[in-house]
């Protein structure tokens, strides 16, 4: 009746909505789930109900989702089970079985253990600690049960028995303590209870004339039973299933007319009990657990952001052009020194004094110098050839002038000579 999460939903094929709650709460959860303390959110919890519709019939196990009241039939246990309790440390359920389909046990009640795979193990007679041989079980006919740590509290009549459920103990599933409950007029009307770890008390509903369907507390240490003022369920039959949520108490009346009814009662007395679910009328019933839905797992971490440094494109994109005075200004350098592979990513130009005229992949970054005409591709204009060409033309003209002058002189000389000869 108390405890945290369990691992049962995957094994028993619970509907998706119910199994999601169970995986978070502890009932029928996967084996890898970690244990959790009791519920913190009363808005959603799930309980396991053991229902006996007629005397001697095998117990039917159902899951009840609260507060919406959705139910899901799981299976028939094959045992007549009551006084269940959930051990969070062992992740198993213990229950008192008075018999099987074949009838009641010869030596009284046996302890049964239900594990996460759904297997039910008969642990034998719940005897007295130190007894040498089986005797009649003191918890035969018990109707209320809850587990706190390794102590299983079981009420039978006006006595509260403590059963050791530590598998390593020599008194495993043996009664190690008995406490008389007082007053009896309140105690005998409690047909189920749940353990409150905050107070160390057991909470139940007493349906005797004195209790009048009031919420009561039972102290395992002293056996004192006390009515909680202002908390009362509707009158009716026995409340065979009682579970606790942080802000509410859920109780199932075994028979209210021709049906069983589950109510929700605020623990602070702020309102009356409200009906949340109904089912078939029962001769007996029990419940275990009311746990909170666990928070969803955290989302996976986002992928790392892309590298924003200026050198990041070098390994994955085309090589960067050589630096130039006409290049656009580069972004500021990163806080870390650039990787050593950045220079290797640049294509080395042809070893000439001027850059190659091929177009670069990023024309905006570097403006290439104007390409020379195709016919003079190999001519490298320099300052030296130009004076040579101009000097050659001048000398040619000078030679022509001297040639013309010499010709005139020759002609003139010839004419002069002829004139002298004629006058002789």
């Amino acid at each position: 009746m108390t405890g945290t999460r369990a691992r049962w939903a995957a094994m028993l094929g619970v509907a998706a909505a119910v199994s999601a709650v169970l995986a978070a709460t502890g009932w029928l959860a996967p084996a890898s789930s970690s244990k959790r303390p009791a519920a913190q959110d009363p808005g959603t919890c799930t309980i396991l109900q053991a229902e006996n519709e007629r005397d001697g019939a095998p117990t039917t196990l159902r899951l009840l989702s609260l507060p919406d009241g959705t139910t899901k039939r799981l299976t028939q246990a094959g045992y007549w089970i009551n006084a269940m309790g959930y051990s969070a440390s062992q992740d198993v359920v213990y229950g008192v079985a008075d018999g099987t389909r074949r009838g009641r046990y010869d030596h009284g009640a046996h302890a049964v253990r239900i594990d996460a795979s759904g297997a039910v193990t008969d642990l034998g007679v719940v005897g007295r600690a130190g007894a040498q041989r089986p005797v009649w079980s003191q918890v035969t006919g018990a109707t209320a049960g809850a587990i706190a740590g390794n102590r299983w509290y079981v009420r039978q009549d006006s006595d509260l028995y403590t059963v050791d459920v530590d598998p390593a103990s020599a008194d495993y599933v043996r009664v190690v303590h008995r406490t008389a409950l007082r007053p009896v007029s309140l105690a005998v009307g409690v047909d189920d209870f749940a353990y409150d770890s905050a107070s160390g008390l057991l909470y139940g509903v007493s349906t005797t004339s004195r209790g009048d369907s009031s919420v009561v507390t039972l102290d395992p240490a002293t056996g004192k039973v006390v009515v909680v003022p202002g908390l009362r369920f509707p009158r009716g039959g026995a409340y065979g299933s009682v579970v606790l949520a942080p802000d509410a108490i859920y109780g199932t009346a075994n028979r209210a007319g021709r049906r069983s009814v589950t109510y929700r009662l605020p623990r602070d007395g702020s309102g009356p009990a409200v009906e949340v679910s109904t089912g078939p009328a029962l001769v007996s019933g029990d419940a275990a657990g009311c746990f909170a839905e666990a928070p969803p797992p955290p989302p996976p971490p986002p992928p790392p952001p892309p590298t924003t440094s200026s050198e990041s494109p070098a390994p994955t994109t085309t090589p960067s052009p050589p630096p130039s005075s006409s290049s656009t200004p580069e972004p500021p350098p990163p806080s870390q020194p650039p990787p050593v592979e950045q220079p290797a990513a640049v294509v080395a130009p042809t070893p000439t004094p001027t850059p190659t005229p091929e177009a670069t992949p990023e024309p905006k970054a570097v403006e290439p110098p104007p390409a020379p005409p195709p016919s003079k591709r190999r001519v490298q204009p320099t300052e030296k050839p130009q004076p040579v060409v101009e000097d050659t033309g001048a000398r040619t003209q000078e030679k022509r002038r001297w040639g013309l002058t010499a010709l005139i002189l020759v002609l003139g000389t010839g004419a002069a000579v002829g004139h002298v000869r004629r006058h002789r």
Side-chain angles (χ1 to χ4, degrees):
M1 306 238 318
T2 62
T4 57
R5 300 171 358 105
R7 306 173 302 172
W8 304 90
M11 180 272 299
L12 294 172
V14 184
V18 178
S19 62
V21 176
L22 296 178
T25 61
W27 252 111
L28 308 178
S32 60
S33 301
S34 58
K35 307 298 186 298
R36 282 191 176 86
Q40 298 301 318
D41 180 10
T44 304
C45 73
T46 300
I47 65 174
L48 177 72
Q49 287 190 320
E51 300 178 350
N52 300 309
E53 298 183 27
R54 61 184 185 275
D55 191 16
T59 297
T60 299
L61 297 178
R62 297 181 187 273
L63 290 171
L64 174 61
S65 177
L66 300 171
D68 59 12
T70 303
T71 62
K72 176 68 177 182
R73 183 182 184 276
L74 297 180
T75 186
Q76 281 192 340
Y79 293 81
W80 178 270
I81 300 175
N82 212 324
M84 295 188 305
Y86 173 72
S87 171
S89 60
Q90 301 176 44
D91 198 21
V92 296
V93 170
Y94 289 90
V96 173
D98 284 339
T100 65
R101 297 175 185 271
R102 295 187 296 270
R104 295 183 179 273
Y105 292 115
D106 294 336
H107 298 282
H110 285 204
V112 293
R113 181 183 62 210
I114 309 171
D115 65 18
S117 69
V120 180
T121 303
D122 188 341
L123 303 177
V125 177
V126 184
R128 180 172 54 85
Q132 298 299 320
R133 56 187 179 85
V135 294
W136 183 257
S137 175
Q138 295 172 291
V139 299
T140 302
T143 59
I147 291 179
N150 287 323
R151 293 292 181 263
W152 179 16
Y153 298 113
V154 178
R155 186 200 71 81
Q156 201 285 328
D157 199 20
S158 60
D159 292 319
L160 183 68
Y161 294 95
T162 302
V163 180
D164 188 349
V165 289
D166 181 1
S169 172
D171 294 324
Y172 182 50
V173 295
R174 303 275 181 158
V175 175
V176 295
H177 190 72
R178 171 185 170 274
T179 302
L181 299 173
R182 297 292 183 270
V184 175
S185 57
L186 287 176
V188 295
V190 178
D191 287 295
D192 196 19
F193 45 55
Y195 180 75
D196 180 27
S197 58
S199 63
L201 300 177
L202 300 166
Y203 278 74
V205 180
S206 177
T207 56
T208 61
S209 58
R210 182 175 177 181
D212 198 18
S213 300
S214 295
V215 176
V216 297
T217 61
L218 298 83
D219 190 338
T222 64
K224 187 175 182 179
V225 184
V226 178
V227 174
V228 179
L231 297 183
R232 177 175 297 178
F233 281 87
R235 295 180 181 180
Y239 279 80
S241 300
V242 175
V243 292
L244 288 178
D247 296 335
I249 303 173
Y250 291 94
T252 301
N254 290 345
R255 184 181 294 272
R258 297 182 179 181
R259 59 179 186 161
S260 59
V261 182
T262 300
Y263 299 95
R264 182 185 185 275
L265 176 66
R267 293 183 68 170
D268 60 2
S270 59
V274 177
E275 179 180 316
V276 296
S277 178
T278 62
L282 307 173
V283 297
S284 68
D286 201 72
C290 183
F291 310 100
E293 182 176 1
T307 306
T308 57
S309 61
S310 59
E311 69 274 9
S312 59
T316 57
T317 60
T318 56
S320 302
S324 172
S325 59
S326 61
S327 302
T328 57
E330 295 183 358
S335 58
Q336 299 293 332
V340 294
E341 63 268 18
Q342 184 182 14
V346 179
V347 176
T350 305
T352 60
T354 58
T356 59
E358 263 90 3
T360 59
E362 296 183 34
K364 293 184 180 180
V366 178
E367 295 180 7
S375 61
K376 299 181 181 180
R377 181 181 186 87
R378 296 184 180 180
V379 177
Q380 300 295 335
T382 61
E383 297 179 359
K384 184 176 180 180
Q386 184 63 28
V388 173
V389 175
E390 293 177 357
D391 184 62
T392 303
R395 290 185 179 183
T396 301
Q397 292 178 3
E398 185 178 356
K399 288 178 181 181
R400 289 176 181 176
R401 287 195 299 268
W402 280 107
L404 182 59
T405 302
L407 180 61
I408 292 172
L409 289 177
V410 171
L411 293 176
T413 302
V417 172
H419 179 72
V420 173
R421 286 178 178 177
R422 284 192 304 266
H423 288 282
R424 281 179 183 181

